[in-house]
Amino acid sequence: MQITVGRAFVALLAAGVAAPAIAQGSYGSTAPQQSRGAPTPDQQEEESAAPSRGAPTGSAPAKEEIQGGIKPSKGAMKPIVELQKAVAANDQANIPAKLAAAQAAATTADDKYLVAQFQLKIAAAKNDLPSVASAVDTIAASGKIDSQKVGALYRGLGGSFYNAKQYDQAAAAFARAVSVNPADIESLKLVGETQLAQNKRPEAAATFGKVIAARNAAGQKAEEDLYKRAVQLAYDSKAANATQLAREWVAAYPSPDSWHNAIAIYRNLNQPDVESTLSLLRLMRATKAMTNPGDYALYAAAAADQRNYNEAQVVIDEGIAAKVVDPSSARFKDIIGPLKTKPIATAADLATASKTAATGAALLGIGDRYYALGDYAKAVDAYKAAQSKGADAEVANLHIGMALTAAGDKAGATQAFNSVKGSRAAIAQYWLLYLQGRA
């Protein structure tokens, strides 16, 4: 890709960082001016072709300094004026010597700032990036222009290095732009683009995550494409922040697509057990994110693995009704055939089983079958009874939260999900995210 800010430093010459016209005894009044913001790409094209401002005419009284407090030293005045004349005349034969003489004579910050402006203009015209970088560093060190303009200069420098495929230098320039102007979110994004060009995918994912956070902090909702890129990069590189970025994506842009991807990323990176897989697939079903046959096949197989044939059958029936599951396919024949031979518990069966269940695990299973039947109140009762008989408290609380969510008890579900700790806490937080987004 090409970065369009590559010539921003040229545009800035016409936007207030221009080399001032100097005449001994009658100094000009063109620099520095108040910043009017970074130019747009169109403005850059127009301004980069604009001629530099000439010396003011008329009978203005002599001044000892240029507007803004710039005051060349006496020793540097003559070399700087001669450099200005050579640049104005495009005297390529003498410009190098005049520049060297002016640099040698520059002793004060003002001198160095003025000479660096001319150096910047000369180097930009030749696309001499090392000299451009040197000039920008000198201008930045002078303290004569504000941080926004300094940041814009480094952003432009970084763009030029990027387009020249000098990515290390580009990354350093963009990072410098951010360091002098932390509010420059665009330069931070360009740091990520450069890291991507360097094939530093985990670093790019982390930087794009910072861009998202910065935009949110500034009250600017990051675009969904940025979330998608950050999540994809983090996932591909198995970065530690992949799951967090996916959660942030679905929080900002909840949809069947974002939910499907966020849940799939969590599953693929964490390899949860069957119990946790079912909890995630139930969330996928609740968010209407089951969009392909594989989702239904996995869900039905996981439910059947726990002998919850009620839920397995419900899911298969839903897939067929949605025309996503083809019951005649070999894949689903292998699922549907055995299901036909399995017992599907009725409400009466579950009521009887609840009275005789001796273990917490048995009561958890009963609760899951009530959940499959849509009787969420009785499911919650079974899960709570399971807790009292030694069932895994994290599993029980997670299931209570799911059942209360389905029942519309937002406060109760929130309390249950917040009670889940340990390895299943992340799954509970996904459910809590879904719950908070419901009306």
Side-chain angles (χ1 to χ4, degrees):
M1 64 175 286
Q2 289 283 307
I3 290 182
T4 58
V5 297
R7 291 195 294 160
F9 53 83
V10 180
L12 284 167
L13 294 174
V17 191
I22 303 172
Q24 281 183 289
S26 180
Y27 305 143
S29 58
T30 62
Q33 298 174 355
Q34 184 178 358
S35 171
R36 58 182 175 84
T40 65
D42 289 343
Q43 289 172 327
Q44 291 177 18
E45 294 295 330
E46 295 172 2
E47 293 175 350
S48 62
S52 61
R53 296 181 177 94
T57 59
S59 56
K63 297 180 180 179
E64 294 183 354
E65 60 184 36
I66 298 171
Q67 179 182 347
I70 305 300
K71 184 179 181 180
S73 66
K74 290 182 180 180
M77 172 62 73
K78 183 178 178 181
I80 291 175
V81 170
E82 289 181 354
L83 173 60
Q84 174 190 271
K85 290 178 180 178
V87 172
N90 195 27
D91 184 358
Q92 294 298 322
N94 290 304
I95 282 176
K98 298 297 184 184
L99 175 60
Q103 288 173 326
T107 57
T108 68
D110 288 3
D111 293 342
K112 293 174 183 178
Y113 168 69
L114 293 171
V115 175
Q117 287 182 330
F118 286 113
Q119 179 188 356
L120 178 57
K121 186 172 184 179
I122 295 164
K126 293 181 177 181
N127 199 31
D128 178 356
L129 296 184
S131 293
V132 168
S134 175
V136 170
D137 285 341
T138 302
I139 291 172
S142 74
K144 300 302 178 181
I145 59 175
D146 62 41
S147 61
Q148 287 188 340
K149 283 188 176 180
V150 173
L153 283 171
Y154 278 110
R155 186 169 67 247
L157 176 63
S160 290
F161 276 128
Y162 184 99
N163 292 338
K165 301 187 186 308
Q166 298 181 40
Y167 299 125
D168 289 345
Q169 296 90 329
F174 290 137
R176 184 69 187 278
V178 176
S179 70
V180 299
N181 183 17
D184 185 2
I185 301 174
E186 182 60 28
S187 287
L188 182 59
K189 183 179 179 182
L190 292 172
V191 171
E193 297 288 358
T194 306
Q195 290 169 331
L196 187 55
Q198 294 172 302
N199 201 32
K200 296 179 178 179
R201 301 177 77 83
E203 293 87 347
T207 299
F208 287 142
K210 291 178 182 177
V211 174
I212 290 169
R215 289 201 173 153
N216 289 339
Q220 307 165 1
K221 185 177 181 180
E223 62 270 26
E224 186 171 15
D225 181 64
L226 184 58
Y227 279 100
K228 289 182 177 180
R229 293 185 70 199
V231 169
Q232 186 69 60
L233 285 170
Y235 175 70
D236 289 346
S237 57
K238 293 181 171 53
N241 64 335
T243 300
Q244 178 61 33
L245 284 171
R247 185 182 293 121
E248 291 177 11
W249 172 28
V250 81
Y253 295 95
S255 69
D257 177 63
S258 60
W259 272 113
H260 186 279
N261 281 283
I263 293 170
I265 286 170
Y266 182 89
R267 285 188 52 251
N268 291 340
L269 292 180
N270 292 279
Q271 298 295 310
D273 59 19
V274 174
E275 165 59 42
S276 292
T277 295
L278 264 175
S279 297
L280 290 164
L281 291 170
R282 286 168 182 145
L283 178 59
M284 190 178 285
R285 179 186 173 201
T287 57
K288 304 187 186 305
M290 296 181 64
T291 57
N292 63 68
D295 298 333
Y296 288 92
L298 180 63
Y299 195 154
D305 183 76
Q306 293 199 334
R307 299 183 180 181
N308 187 352
Y309 306 119
N310 287 59
E311 194 164 3
Q313 188 62 59
V314 167
V315 169
I316 290 295
D317 290 344
E318 286 182 356
I320 293 172
K323 301 188 184 305
V324 177
V325 170
D326 178 3
S328 65
S329 68
R331 182 180 201 175
F332 284 99
K333 279 184 177 180
D334 290 341
I335 296 173
I336 295 171
L339 267 181
K340 291 180 179 179
T341 67
K342 303 300 181 182
I344 303 298
T346 64
D349 295 331
L350 295 176
T352 299
S354 296
K355 295 175 183 178
T356 59
T359 66
L363 284 163
L364 276 175
I366 292 169
D368 286 344
R369 285 155 183 77
Y370 272 125
Y371 182 93
L373 292 175
D375 193 337
Y376 304 117
K378 289 184 178 178
V380 170
D381 289 341
Y383 295 141
K384 289 181 177 179
Q387 282 182 305
S388 69
K389 291 199 174 184
D392 186 319
E394 311 308 331
V395 173
N397 280 323
L398 183 57
H399 287 221
I400 289 170
M402 290 187 284
L404 291 176
T405 297
D409 184 351
K410 194 169 185 177
T414 298
Q415 182 178 5
F417 288 137
N418 282 329
S419 298
V420 179
K421 309 299 180 184
S423 62
R424 304 185 199 279
I427 298 173
Q429 290 304 305
Y430 269 109
W431 269 95
L432 191 58
L433 185 61
Y434 163 64
L435 178 64
Q436 290 169 341
R438 298 183 68 184

